[in-house]
Amino acid sequence: MTVINPANEELFEFAVAGQDLPNDEGASTAAPWRVLIIDDDVDVHHATLFALNGLVLFGRPLQFLHAYSSTEAQQKLLGEPELALVLLDVVMETHDAGLLLVDFLRNEAKLYATRVVLRTGQPGHAPEHDTIIQYDINDYKTKSELTQHKLVTTVIAALRAYDQLCVIETGRNGLELIVSCSGGFLNEEDLHIFSGNVITQMAALLRTGAEGLVCAHQNDGLSNFTVMAGAGRFASALNRSLAELDDARIAGLLRCALASGQCHFEGHEAVLYFGQKDGWAMAAYISKKTPLQPMEQRLLSVFGVNLSSALHNHGLMTRLRNDAYVDALLHLPNRTSFVEKLTHTLHTSDASFLLALIDIDDFAEVNDLMGHAYGDKLLQAFARCLMDEFGSDVFLARVSSDSFGLLGSDQCISHQRIKQALEHRVVVAGQPHLVSVTVGLAPKSSGTKTGLDWLKDAGIALKYAKRHHRGRFSTFSDDMASVSRHRTQLLEGLHKAFTDARLFMVYQPQVNLTTGQLIGFESLIRWRTADGRFIPPDQFIPVAEHSGLIVALGDWILQTACRDMRRLKAQGLRGCHMAVNVSVVQFQSDGFLDRVVRTLQEHQLEPRELELEITESVAMLGRDVVEQVLSQLRSLGVAVAIDDFGTGYSSLSYLEQLPVDRIKIDQTFVTKLKAPGGPRIAEMITQLGHKLDLQVLAEGIEDAGAWRALHAMGCDEGQGYFMSRPLDFEALVVWLDQWPTQLEALGVI
Ligand code: C2E
Ligand code: MG
Ligand code: MG
């Protein structure tokens, strides 16, 4: 028997020529070496077979193919991708037919690894050295030289070279495959698809059918092994537990790899381990028909390392994605995720969807009062209530600190249902917490192009609801959008006007109705645009209040009014006050009182020379805030007036306790004086003011009749166009000079 030991690759027994040779065990299943004999002499074929038949080299038998002409050889070469060796006659139809065939073999059939041994009858036909190098020819022998022994030696050398070339080629192809599929693994987000690709690529590396399975185990202390992918006979195991696998032996191999963190290769089978220490660990099983070659094992190991880093990156990406798309406190989708969902819905669905933006009223106050830990718990309980009510019918996200986005069909979402979900159901630290929410609703509309625009629409509806009916809801409309756009433009313009010094103050004199003597001025702001238009303050002040700009603007107003008051005093004016309008937001802002005191000092004004006008809405803010600030202002000596009296909803008993000096009758009641029953409210306010020991001043006096009527009912003071329109500083100086003469001419005293 002639056997070459595949392990030490040594020839350990040599055949007796022509003897029939039995195979060893390993050779029975191993793929044979395919050897092509090309010779136009039939005897050469016989002799070669005779010399080599039954030979087993490196564990594999030889298998012979025969061609008797160049044409036949060409056909054979084209259909033989795994041809190990060609024993080739140089001279056939022509003296160089053999060399032409080598050219064909390398350049047409593209057989680069196939070894070529040239044989010739005549020594004179030896190819040039250049040709031997160019065509990668292994050996050149004259036929007479080739004894059986020499032929076997030549074949052994050629097959070893072929095998090594194949190993290199397999390695190169395998590495190329691993590198080229790496990107795909890194980008794959779905672990099932990832696992399926593992089987496909392992099969490609082993050049076998894609039949295998991948199971995963999360290192969470539980022995939970899930089949993530199964191909071929393992397809039915998908998503099942590994314990349910039909083949207990394979299940054992996989479990063993996962426990040891090692790959395992044996015979025809490969178990690949890849994973992370504190994340997902995975094991893949695959088998092939022929035993695994060492190069294949090495490639699989490299592939495993690659997969581990892909899985690590997958973990990283998942974490990054979670950070970017999931709210860390509530584990809900965040704003970014919600906007993406909205965009997706706009582009992919024709159904009627409704977006509800739910804002928790006064959440900041709860946070301040009860602490952030309580606030967090409230948010968690709140989100849970919404999820319990709507479940998987909707997409719920946390859009900002205290607002939630709810997206679902318009059949499913309604303000009523949202209220119902929260009523008496939010329980924090074992106690029910009453929450009030304001909701902005925006139906899906064909005009909306992006998710962000849709969310903005809901935001506009929410703002509208907050302003007009807090604790309830508003549905977005185009009118709302144009109002909102107008407000945004106004605010932008106001910002610019403020920085470009397009704002200025005017002053309207206030007089005693009995003597006509000047008692003070009300400062009023003016905004003149670049093209000379005036924008009335009752349009832009609310916008400034809403944006918070009023705090800075209010400081500037106070500064300017006090500075001009000082200039008036410098001109000899005495015994008058400067009244400055103060808005709610300003009044509530931090350090308001300090700023008032500092401004007075800066402009060397007596506190009694300043009066702050607050509206009834400020007065109604609540005892804690208002009384404290008002009492402090009072104790400083700064006067306080309630503006536009009679237009708000102040409770009289509350008013009685407020430390104020003056009430101002709103001009709407002054305008009505001439109408039948018109003076009634002005009279009532005057009487009330006197009962409360307050000064009463009427606004909007436009003629002598109003002056007289108000004076007759006991109103002490007044302001209005009849005496003077609001004037800029220079005009005011002129007016002050002319007033005594003008007063006489008016004929009211
Ligand atoms: P207000 O504080 O009640 O101011 C009185 C308004 O009545 C002023 O309107 C004034 O020009 C107007 N007025 C005065 N006399 C007459 C009259 O005889 N007939 C008529 N029809 N109107 C008269 P203005 O300046 O347009 O201010 C409107 C509102 O804007 C103010 O009402 C006040 O609430 C707010 N505002 C004006 N300036 C300021 C300011 O500097 N700060 C703050 N926070 N608000 C201001
Ligand atoms: Mg006022
Ligand atoms: Mg007023």
Side-chain angles (χ1 to χ4, degrees):
M1 160 167 117
T2 306
V3 175
I4 304 293
N5 183 338
N8 59 22
E9 299 186 0
E10 268 178 21
L11 188 68
F12 67 88
E13 203 180 328
F14 192 65
V16 178
Q19 197 177 321
D20 228 1
L21 303 165
N23 280 331
D24 73 338
E25 247 180 78
S28 63
T29 52
W33 303 109
R34 302 201 31 106
V35 178
L36 174 61
I37 304 165
I38 307 173
D39 209 305
D40 52 0
D41 184 346
V42 181
D43 289 344
V44 174
H45 288 260
H46 287 308
T48 310
L49 281 184
F50 184 75
L52 302 177
N53 211 7
L55 195 65
V56 176
L57 294 173
F58 314 115
R60 298 166 64 180
L62 303 189
Q63 189 178 44
F64 296 98
L65 306 158
H66 301 272
Y68 299 92
S69 67
S70 289
T71 324
E72 193 186 355
Q74 283 187 357
Q75 279 166 3
K76 287 252 157 67
L77 288 172
L78 287 174
E80 276 297 327
E82 308 237 320
L83 191 61
L85 173 62
V86 175
L87 297 170
L88 175 60
D89 189 13
V90 177
V91 183
M92 288 188 288
E93 295 90 337
T94 59
H95 73 282
D96 61 351
L99 287 180
L100 291 175
L101 257 184
V102 184
D103 183 77
F104 181 87
L105 176 133
R106 298 285 185 231
N107 297 323
E108 301 292 323
K110 313 270 184 219
L111 295 170
Y112 305 116
T114 303
R115 297 298 84 207
V116 176
V117 172
L118 289 179
R119 298 191 292 188
T120 178
Q122 293 99 353
H125 289 119
E128 300 292 326
H129 285 147
D130 284 354
T131 314
I132 290 184
I133 292 168
Q134 185 194 342
Y135 290 121
D136 188 14
I137 293 167
N138 264 57
D139 218 341
Y140 167 75
K141 291 278 186 306
T142 57
K143 287 177 185 170
S144 57
E145 252 183 295
L146 276 177
T147 61
Q148 185 197 34
H149 182 73
K150 276 197 180 146
L151 181 59
V152 171
T153 316
T154 302
V155 170
I156 289 171
L159 290 183
R160 183 187 280 130
Y162 171 74
D163 193 43
Q164 284 168 350
L165 282 174
C166 285
V167 168
I168 292 169
E169 183 68 4
T170 311
R172 196 173 59 83
N173 288 342
L175 285 175
E176 260 177 29
L177 191 71
I178 292 171
V179 170
S180 69
C181 69
S182 296
F185 279 108
L186 283 177
N187 294 333
E188 187 49 65
E189 288 166 24
D190 186 313
L191 273 185
H192 282 93
I193 299 177
F194 179 96
S195 308
N197 291 345
V198 170
I199 301 178
T200 313
Q201 296 304 337
M202 276 176 87
L205 274 177
L206 299 179
R207 285 170 296 163
T208 184
E211 180 167 84
L213 84 163
V214 175
C215 86
H217 168 55
Q218 189 153 29
N219 285 323
D220 51 6
L222 305 167
S223 19
N224 232 351
F225 302 90
T226 316
V227 176
M228 303 296 287
R233 69 188 162 105
F234 300 104
S236 60
L238 182 66
N239 288 331
R240 310 276 275 271
S241 159
L242 190 60
E244 295 174 50
L245 197 69
D246 293 343
D247 194 322
R249 193 184 62 82
I250 294 177
L253 285 175
L254 287 163
R255 219 174 275 123
C256 186
L258 284 166
S260 66
Q262 302 279 327
C263 296
H264 177 82
F265 306 112
E266 197 170 344
H268 304 229
E269 294 176 314
V271 183
L272 207 58
Y273 168 86
F274 47 99
Q276 304 163 267
K277 276 201 184 68
D278 45 3
W280 284 95
M282 297 181 121
Y285 170 90
I286 198 164
S287 68
K288 63 181 287 199
K289 290 199 176 66
T290 53
L292 294 176
Q293 298 303 307
M295 173 52 82
E296 290 174 332
Q297 297 184 11
R298 280 200 292 276
L299 282 174
L300 284 177
S301 300
V302 172
F303 185 50
V305 172
N306 217 29
L307 287 177
S308 291
S309 65
L311 206 57
H312 177 71
N313 279 312
H314 176 275
L316 272 182
M317 290 309 290
T318 310
R319 232 167 295 146
L320 281 175
R321 206 170 296 275
N322 271 349
D323 287 352
Y325 285 93
V326 177
D327 178 74
L329 175 70
L330 305 180
H331 306 294
L332 281 180
N334 63 12
R335 187 176 187 277
T336 313
S337 169
F338 193 57
V339 169
E340 273 190 17
K341 176 74 182 176
L342 292 175
T343 306
H344 182 77
T345 307
L346 282 174
H347 294 160
T348 56
S349 174
D350 291 331
S352 319
F353 275 90
L354 184 64
L355 158 57
L357 196 56
I358 308 167
D359 189 277
I360 307 179
D361 295 332
D362 306 317
F363 179 73
E365 282 71 27
V366 173
N367 241 353
D368 288 349
L369 220 66
M370 311 290 283
H372 282 253
Y374 185 92
D376 286 355
K377 286 204 186 98
L378 171 62
L379 288 170
Q380 282 160 343
F382 185 88
R384 215 172 305 119
C385 285
L386 287 175
M387 280 188 291
D388 288 351
E389 173 70 27
F390 291 96
S392 57
D393 294 348
V394 298
F395 188 89
L396 175 67
R398 185 182 182 190
V399 174
S400 75
S401 64
D402 58 354
S403 69
F404 291 78
L406 202 61
L407 176 71
S409 81
D410 56 0
Q411 311 275 311
C412 161
I413 295 181
S414 68
H415 174 246
Q416 199 49 37
R417 201 169 162 201
I418 294 170
K419 265 187 79 177
Q420 195 180 303
L422 301 166
E423 232 158 28
H424 309 299
R425 297 214 199 146
V426 182
V427 177
V428 186
Q431 297 292 320
H433 182 111
L434 281 183
V435 271
S436 151
V437 292
T438 306
V439 181
L441 297 170
K444 178 167 157 261
S445 101
S446 53
T448 314
K449 293 285 173 282
T450 68
L452 199 59
D453 288 340
W454 195 359
L455 188 60
K456 268 190 196 153
D457 290 353
I460 287 170
L462 176 65
K463 264 193 194 158
Y464 185 89
K466 282 260 171 196
R467 206 171 298 133
H468 299 281
H469 24 250
R470 208 173 150 82
R472 289 163 58 198
F473 76 101
S474 289
T475 304
F476 175 79
S477 70
D478 288 340
D479 285 353
M480 235 179 234
S482 62
V483 169
S484 161
R485 215 173 305 120
H486 178 68
R487 292 178 74 92
T488 310
Q489 285 165 356
L490 209 59
L491 183 61
E492 281 170 9
L494 182 59
H495 261 288
K496 201 162 179 324
F498 189 30
T499 46
D500 293 356
R502 297 209 157 276
L503 302 173
F504 62 98
M505 298 307 296
V506 291
Y507 304 98
Q508 185 173 38
Q510 299 175 327
V511 300
N512 180 304
L513 292 183
T514 312
T515 61
Q517 226 179 349
L518 182 73
I519 57 154
F521 318 92
E522 178 177 8
S523 66
L524 296 157
I525 192 167
R526 293 291 175 263
W527 170 8
R528 187 170 35 215
T529 60
D531 56 8
R533 280 179 307 122
F534 279 99
I535 298 179
D538 32 19
Q539 255 184 44
F540 68 82
I541 291 286
V543 175
E545 283 176 340
H546 213 74
S547 69
L549 179 66
I550 192 69
V551 177
L553 189 60
D555 281 348
W556 177 84
I557 290 169
L558 187 66
Q559 281 280 345
T560 312
C562 288
R563 188 202 60 205
D564 286 343
M565 186 61 183
R566 190 185 171 194
R567 285 164 76 194
L568 290 172
K569 276 176 71 184
Q571 297 188 5
L573 187 82
R574 291 290 176 270
C576 289
H577 65 246
M578 176 61 81
V580 177
N581 292 286
V582 175
S583 86
V584 189
V585 187
Q586 224 182 325
F587 194 80
Q588 281 178 300
S589 65
D590 286 342
F592 171 68
L593 208 74
D594 293 342
R595 289 200 298 277
V596 172
V597 174
R598 232 179 305 126
T599 312
L600 286 173
Q601 286 167 351
E602 214 175 296
H603 299 289
Q604 295 161 3
L605 295 186
E606 299 292 328
R608 66 181 162 76
E609 289 169 326
L610 177 66
E611 178 167 283
L612 298 182
E613 287 191 13
I614 58 171
T615 53
E616 281 183 85
S617 57
V618 176
M620 291 300 110
L621 272 181
R623 241 169 229 190
D624 298 347
V625 198
V626 185
E627 277 187 27
Q628 212 187 355
V629 183
L630 288 185
S631 307
Q632 279 170 307
L633 284 171
R634 260 303 211 46
S635 60
L636 281 172
V638 174
V640 178
I642 299 187
D643 202 356
D644 305 341
F645 194 84
T647 55
Y649 303 94
S650 20
S651 116
L652 291 180
S653 63
Y654 178 40
L655 263 184
E656 191 187 353
Q657 293 158 33
L658 275 186
V660 297
D661 301 85
R662 178 173 278 116
I663 49 178
K664 295 181 74 177
I665 305 175
D666 189 71
Q667 53 180 281
T668 45
F669 308 120
V670 176
T671 325
K672 283 187 193 145
L673 285 176
K674 275 192 220 123
R680 274 210 299 254
I681 294 181
E683 265 167 24
M684 268 162 53
I685 297 175
T686 307
Q687 284 164 19
L688 176 78
H690 287 160
K691 287 237 160 63
L692 296 177
D693 263 343
L694 306 173
Q695 290 294 107
V696 181
L697 184 145
E699 299 184 292
I701 300 177
E702 294 191 357
D703 49 46
W707 177 310
R708 288 198 189 99
L710 286 159
H711 183 245
M713 67 179 71
C715 179
D716 312 293
E717 299 149 348
Q719 67 185 78
Y721 295 169
F722 181 60
M723 296 79 113
S724 168
R725 287 188 171 257
L727 304 166
D728 64 23
F729 187 80
E730 283 70 30
L732 181 67
V733 172
V734 176
W735 181 90
L736 283 171
D737 200 33
Q738 294 172 349
W739 175 238
T741 349
Q742 200 189 330
L743 178 63
E744 270 179 40
L746 290 176
V748 280
I749 47 168

